[in-house]
Amino acid sequence: MDALRKQASKLREQVAKQQQAVIKQFGGSGYESSEVMVIDEVEMQMHQQLEKLYRSTRCGRDFQKEIVKAAEAFTAVGYKHIEAGTKLSEDCSKYGVENASDEILAKTASVYGDARKHVEKEQDDFNRLLFTQVLEPLRAMINGTPLEDARHLAQRYSKMRQEAEAQAAEVFRRQARVRESPIPENVAKLHAAETRMQELKANMAVLGKEAATALAAVESQQQRLTFQRLIAMIEGERTYHERVATILGNIEAEMVSEKQRKEAAPPVTPINHASGKTKYFLAEATHAFDAASEKELSLAVGDYVVVRKVSPSGWSEGECKGRAGWFPSAYVEKRQRIPTNYTSTEVY
């Protein structure tokens, strides 16, 4: 009978050692999940709290890594966008210079080429924002000391808990030995095992509180920082798109306006009367007019203009202060009398 008891005791020892070997092999790299009550209910609650915090900070770190990956992708695409946009800007400007005779398209290409530079400037600003306000802060926290230290404390607690679980089994085994054979040697070994168990219990209480405090602080910082960086990225992207939309809206309006102006430009042929002689007359500017091209004539209120041609489209051609060009007919009024201080080559 004694031989059977000894054999059963040895078998229990072997099983316990195998269990510890498995725990060390698979549980050393993280926080070991376990539903076994090692000491008491208080310790079990601490274990569950640490397990929850450990998982939470791991999920928070993984989410931050995903945001970093996305921001890096946005930045890479942004640099390609800048490269392509800069090339297009140069090509548009070049076409505008080399094809000045094609007034509408050349002017449009030049305007777009110049605006394209501003669009790429906004893209570069957005890339800088992603780097300074999203990538750098998140990378710093992902690789930061507080996170690693807090997780290391939790891992130490997990290993100590595994040791306490093994020690509890050792105490149980020693108690069985004493019941089987209450000799002084077995009693002494039981007292030593129980003392070690008490030491582990006290150390776990201290380490558990320290690990929980550190992990809770990291969890709070993770959530706060991640939220702030997400808001910064959203605001930066919104501002980028709004500014680009404004730039494109302005150049679109300018292009359409320029096209309409060119299409409504007055004809180049003069209007001749039946006599075969072009009739000139003197007019006074009643509204100011700013020339938008070399073919137009700027006027100030009160300027006198020798009108040479009048077009049914609402434009007139004339001369003022030694300059000639086209201007809106409605901006001048014909004068019956010629001012005494005005001289011109020929007025009919």
Side-chain angles (χ1 to χ4, degrees):
M1 194 69 177
D2 291 338
L4 290 176
R5 289 197 187 97
K6 290 181 180 180
Q7 186 176 0
S9 178
K10 289 181 180 180
L11 182 61
R12 283 196 298 268
E13 290 180 2
Q14 291 176 358
V15 171
K17 290 179 179 179
Q18 290 175 355
Q19 288 177 342
Q20 289 305 308
V22 171
I23 290 174
K24 290 180 180 179
Q25 180 178 0
F26 296 102
S29 59
Y31 192 86
E32 179 69 19
S33 177
S34 174
E35 299 298 328
V36 177
M37 183 182 298
V38 176
I39 298 176
D40 52 26
E41 185 65 29
V42 174
E43 189 283 325
M44 189 65 185
Q45 291 176 357
M46 174 62 71
H47 164 66
Q48 292 173 345
Q49 180 186 6
L50 288 177
E51 183 180 3
K52 180 180 177 181
L53 287 170
Y54 192 89
R55 289 178 178 177
S56 175
T57 54
R58 181 178 58 194
C59 289
R61 181 191 59 186
D62 292 343
F63 182 48
Q64 288 177 336
K65 287 182 178 180
E66 294 302 322
I67 297 175
V68 167
K69 288 180 182 178
E72 289 173 342
F74 291 156
T75 304
V77 172
Y79 285 128
K80 290 185 177 294
H81 188 284
I82 293 173
E83 182 180 355
T86 301
K87 179 65 167 57
L88 179 58
S89 173
E90 294 172 353
D91 292 341
C92 287
S93 299
K94 180 180 179 181
Y95 182 89
V97 172
E98 296 179 352
N99 298 273
S101 58
D102 184 2
E103 296 181 358
I104 295 179
L105 182 57
K107 177 67 174 179
T108 299
S110 296
V111 170
Y112 182 67
D114 183 63
R116 199 68 244 177
K117 298 177 183 178
H118 298 288
V119 171
E120 306 320 324
K121 172 64 167 54
E122 294 298 332
Q123 180 68 65
D124 185 61
D125 289 345
F126 181 49
N127 281 3
R128 292 177 185 275
L129 180 143
L130 287 175
F131 183 76
T132 59
Q133 298 192 30
V134 179
L135 290 174
E136 282 190 334
L138 290 180
R139 285 171 178 166
M141 185 163 192
I142 290 171
N143 302 315
T145 302
L147 175 61
E148 291 303 317
D149 288 348
R151 292 171 63 81
H152 181 64
L153 287 173
Q155 291 168 359
R156 283 178 55 197
Y157 182 89
S158 178
K159 291 180 180 180
M160 189 176 293
R161 191 173 193 273
Q162 294 167 16
E163 185 180 351
E165 187 176 351
Q167 188 65 29
E170 175 69 9
V171 170
F172 180 78
R173 187 174 65 84
R174 291 298 176 184
Q175 289 173 344
R177 283 282 185 89
V178 170
R179 286 194 299 269
E180 293 173 0
S181 177
I183 60 176
E185 180 182 358
N186 289 341
V187 173
K189 290 182 178 180
L190 173 61
H191 289 167
E194 290 175 340
T195 300
R196 176 57 182 162
M197 188 66 191
Q198 291 300 320
E199 291 176 354
L200 287 172
K201 181 179 179 181
N203 292 337
M204 287 173 63
V206 175
L207 183 59
K209 291 180 180 179
E210 185 179 355
T213 300
L215 283 173
V218 169
E219 180 188 48
S220 177
Q221 185 184 10
Q222 273 184 339
Q223 294 177 357
R224 182 174 63 256
L225 179 67
T226 306
F227 176 79
Q228 292 173 348
R229 296 312 98 201
L230 273 178
I231 291 297
M233 185 165 65
I234 292 170
E235 290 180 348
E237 189 170 7
R238 175 183 58 80
T239 301
Y240 162 72
H241 288 297
E242 286 178 349
R243 290 179 177 175
V244 170
T246 300
I247 293 171
L248 296 178
N250 290 339
I251 64 171
E252 181 185 21
E254 185 176 353
M255 289 176 179
V256 172
S257 176
E258 183 67 21
K259 184 174 183 294
Q260 292 174 345
R261 180 189 293 273
K262 296 297 182 184
E263 291 176 346
V268 296
T269 56
I271 297 178
N272 294 332
H273 292 270
S275 61
K277 192 172 186 179
T278 303
K279 183 179 180 180
Y280 293 179
F281 63 88
L282 188 67
E284 181 181 356
T286 58
H287 297 80
F289 174 69
D290 293 326
S293 69
E294 294 180 356
K295 292 185 178 181
E296 295 177 354
L297 177 63
S298 296
L299 298 175
V301 176
D303 284 349
Y304 285 94
V305 188
V306 176
V307 181
R308 298 174 178 176
K309 302 171 187 176
V310 179
S311 169
S313 65
W315 287 80
S316 296
E317 192 271 341
E319 180 181 347
C320 176
K321 299 179 181 178
R323 293 176 290 107
W326 291 89
F327 55 88
S329 301
Y331 281 37
V332 300
E333 290 183 1
K334 185 177 180 180
R335 293 290 180 247
Q336 299 296 331
R337 297 179 60 187
I338 300 176
T340 57
N341 62 345
Y342 184 82
T343 59
S344 182
T345 55
E346 184 179 15
V347 176
Y348 294 91

